[in-house]
Amino acid sequence: MMKELQIKTALQISRHPKDVFEAIVDPEQMSNYFISESSGRMEEGKALEWKFPEFEEWAAIKVVEITPGEYISFQWEGAKDTTLLVEMTLLEMSENSTLLKITEGNMQNTDAGIKWLAQNTEGWANFLASLKAYLEYDINLRKGAFDFLKQK
């Protein structure tokens, strides 16, 4: 029996869930740690495009569901020719602490699925670390971090 693969990752951030939520849905804030450009704010039912600083292509995003301060979900081409669901759950741990859980999936347990699992798990770990650095210390960890991908 072939088991499906799913990414599950989480990180605690020393900020209130409302602040973490806004840093994710607001493209101006998101450009300080994840993307370089967005066609708009994340809102339920909205189709957006994101530009990443290290790639020429734009990524199509379809926002599925938003619960302010608690939950964000969207679909995107998380793997080649495959639309995947990303879910972000924000849990208040204390007044100024949020546990952000991210899941993405599912993919079949094949060579392509394992490649996706490795690449996107790395990507979501980078997203979480970059978001934490931005919100807690006003540092953009992503700036220049992937310039080597542009070099030949």
Side-chain angles (χ1 to χ4, degrees):
M1 185 167 103
M2 189 177 289
K3 248 182 140 57
E4 287 192 330
L5 303 172
Q6 183 180 58
I7 294 170
K8 292 183 180 185
T9 188
L11 191 68
Q12 194 161 327
I13 300 171
S14 297
R15 292 293 292 268
H16 190 276
K18 289 179 184 175
D19 296 333
V20 176
F21 177 83
E22 276 303 310
I24 297 169
V25 300
D26 177 10
E28 187 173 319
Q29 289 191 60
M30 196 185 272
S31 69
N32 288 307
Y33 68 91
F34 188 52
I35 59 172
S36 58
E37 297 176 61
S38 174
S39 60
R41 181 179 173 86
M42 292 183 82
E43 296 171 349
E44 199 166 296
K46 199 168 185 180
L48 301 172
E49 289 189 320
W50 286 347
K51 174 91 172 71
F52 292 90
E54 61 272 14
F55 303 114
E56 293 301 317
E57 307 85 28
W58 286 76
I61 308 297
K62 171 70 171 158
V63 182
V64 177
E65 186 179 339
I66 298 272
T67 304
E70 296 177 13
Y71 180 79
I72 300 162
S73 67
F74 63 90
Q75 293 178 322
W76 70 346
E77 187 178 344
K80 185 170 174 46
D81 300 323
T82 306
T83 300
L84 297 171
L85 179 67
V86 174
E87 295 180 283
M88 299 181 174
T89 304
L90 296 84
L91 302 171
E92 185 173 356
M93 303 304 287
S94 66
E95 187 176 333
N96 285 309
S97 184
T98 303
L99 178 61
L100 177 56
K101 295 181 175 186
I102 299 176
T103 62
E104 181 182 9
N106 295 329
M107 291 280 290
Q108 293 298 314
N109 188 355
T110 62
D111 287 345
I114 291 169
K115 180 180 177 184
W116 160 80
L117 185 71
Q119 288 178 336
N120 286 29
T121 298
E122 178 183 342
W124 288 118
N126 180 271
F127 171 89
L128 288 168
S130 295
L131 175 59
K132 182 176 179 70
Y134 167 68
L135 285 175
E136 293 182 12
Y137 304 102
D138 198 28
I139 295 171
N140 185 342
L141 289 181
R142 198 169 179 111
K143 187 176 183 181
F146 298 101
D147 286 353
F148 69 93
L149 293 175
K150 296 178 188 177
Q151 299 171 359
K152 297 196 183 231

